[in-house]
Amino acid sequence: MAFAITAVIGLAVGLLLKSGGATVAVVLVWSLVAEPALGAAGEWLLGVDIGARLPFIALSHFRGQPGGTPFPGGPYAAGLYVTVLAVGLLTAAIRPRERREP
């Protein structure tokens, strides 16, 4: 299930960028560099622990991987949260595409 959600996120980013290489680079940098950095520095920068609410960190909590801040509602709430974010991102990516193409 987690891989399907990640695929939807990748599809949405691909629709927005229209480049396969850029899509892979953005998703990998987002999930492996940006989110761990924001999760570690979130409380220091913003005064709020945002680590559990970042999509890929919440998805790893849904998969049952140890470490990090647990999602407030448990693993199933984390999965639902990331699914809603992925569907919202996909909807936002499809909408401008419908306006550009007949």
Side-chain angles (χ1 to χ4, degrees), residues 50-100:
I50 60 169
R53 288 167 183 82
L54 296 171
F56 287 104
I57 294 175
L59 196 59
S60 66
H61 183 67
F62 172 65
R63 292 182 58 208
Q65 293 176 338
T69 306
F71 195 79
Y76 293 118
L80 180 65
Y81 171 73
V82 177
T83 302
V84 169
L85 285 177
V87 169
L89 186 63
L90 184 62
T91 304
I94 289 174
R95 189 166 296 256
R97 190 166 178 91
E98 289 176 351
R99 280 188 249 144
R100 280 184 264 164

